[in-house]
């Protein structure tokens, strides 16, 4: 009995190979380099699904919000070293928390504070460091539960852009 040779083109072989593998998140440094290479609001596309989930918004609403980031008229000027903020409402399930984007200049330091409600800090650009020295890069999220205490600062020499979901806090000083 003669054996027939299986014929498959190279593109189809790679596609089969890719679907057989478990997805692996790239290291944060690779993610950061990739994001900084893409221009316009499309640089935030890798974060749409995660932001949608964490902010209880549709993916379409997240895309709309991300598309507004580069529009200067959408931003409320901040007080140095906070460059500015752009507020938005998270999904109703997250009430009474507030949502927004915040731009922070290098050297920004937010002093030690206690959370009365939960807080989520999702890094879109730059790097943040918490009071314990942990560094957060684009795609990383810092979740603080009610009663938790921390400080936060920009750890990079470039501005940081974060998506913030926050509630009441109590300032504790340094």
């Amino acid at each position: 009995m003669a054996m027939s040779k299986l014929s498959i083109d190279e593109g189809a072989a790679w596609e089969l190979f890719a679907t057989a593998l478990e997805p692996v998140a790239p290291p944060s440094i690779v993610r950061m380099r990739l994001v900084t290479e893409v221009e316009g609001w499309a640089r935030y596309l890798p974060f749409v699904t995660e932001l949608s989930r964490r902010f209880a918004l549709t993916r379409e609403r997240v895309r709309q919000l991300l598309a507004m980031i580069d529009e200067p008229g959408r931003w409320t000027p901040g007080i140095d070293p906070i460059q500015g903020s752009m507020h938005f409402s998270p999904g109703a399930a997250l009430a009474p928390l507030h949502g927004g984007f915040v731009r922070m200049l290098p050297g920004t330091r937010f002093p030690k504070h206690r959370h009365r409600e939960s807080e989520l800090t999702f890094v879109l650009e730059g790097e943040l460091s918490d009071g314990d020295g942990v560094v957060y890069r684009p795609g990383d999220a810092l979740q603080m539960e009610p009663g938790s205490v921390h400080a936060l600062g920009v750890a990079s020499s470039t501005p940081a852009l974060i998506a913030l979901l926050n509630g009441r806090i109590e300032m504790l000083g340094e």
Side-chain angles (χ1 to χ4, degrees), residues 29-158:
I29 191 73
V30 172
R31 214 173 34 224
M32 185 172 71
R33 286 180 45 209
L34 175 63
V35 168
T36 58
E37 293 297 322
V38 179
E39 293 186 20
W41 79 271
R43 66 191 181 273
Y44 306 118
L45 282 175
F47 309 132
V48 168
T49 300
E50 190 66 13
L51 290 172
S52 173
R53 183 180 71 80
R54 291 183 178 264
F55 285 80
L57 296 169
T58 66
R59 291 169 52 131
E60 181 56 33
R61 178 64 179 143
V62 170
R63 283 187 195 96
Q64 291 169 353
L65 291 167
L66 292 171
M68 292 185 253
I69 283 179
D70 292 330
E71 297 177 20
R74 301 276 185 175
W75 287 82
T76 301
I79 298 171
D80 195 42
I82 302 293
Q83 191 174 20
S85 60
M86 185 176 86
H87 298 280
F88 61 84
S89 296
L94 296 172
L97 301 178
H98 306 281
F101 298 117
V102 178
R103 288 188 193 274
M104 300 181 294
L105 298 171
T108 298
R109 178 119 175 88
F110 198 78
K112 187 186 272 189
H113 56 283
R114 176 176 291 115
H115 292 274
R116 296 293 180 199
E117 297 168 311
S118 64
E119 177 182 272
L120 169 74
T121 304
F122 189 95
V123 181
L124 295 167
E125 291 178 355
E127 296 179 353
L128 297 180
S129 175
D130 70 10
D132 295 328
V134 177
V135 176
Y136 298 88
R137 295 179 176 87
D140 292 338
L142 173 59
Q143 179 74 50
M144 302 302 295
E145 298 303 324
S148 61
V149 174
H150 76 131
L152 198 62
V154 176
S156 55
S157 60
T158 59

Side-chain angles (χ1 to χ4, degrees), residues 1-5:
M1 177 184 253
M3 298 278 293
S4 64
K5 185 176 177 185

Side-chain angles (χ1 to χ4, degrees), residues 152-172:
L152 198 62
V154 176
S156 55
S157 60
T158 59
L161 173 64
I162 62 169
L164 184 64
L165 180 64
N166 67 319
R168 297 174 297 131
I169 61 171
E170 171 189 356
M171 298 307 295
L172 302 174

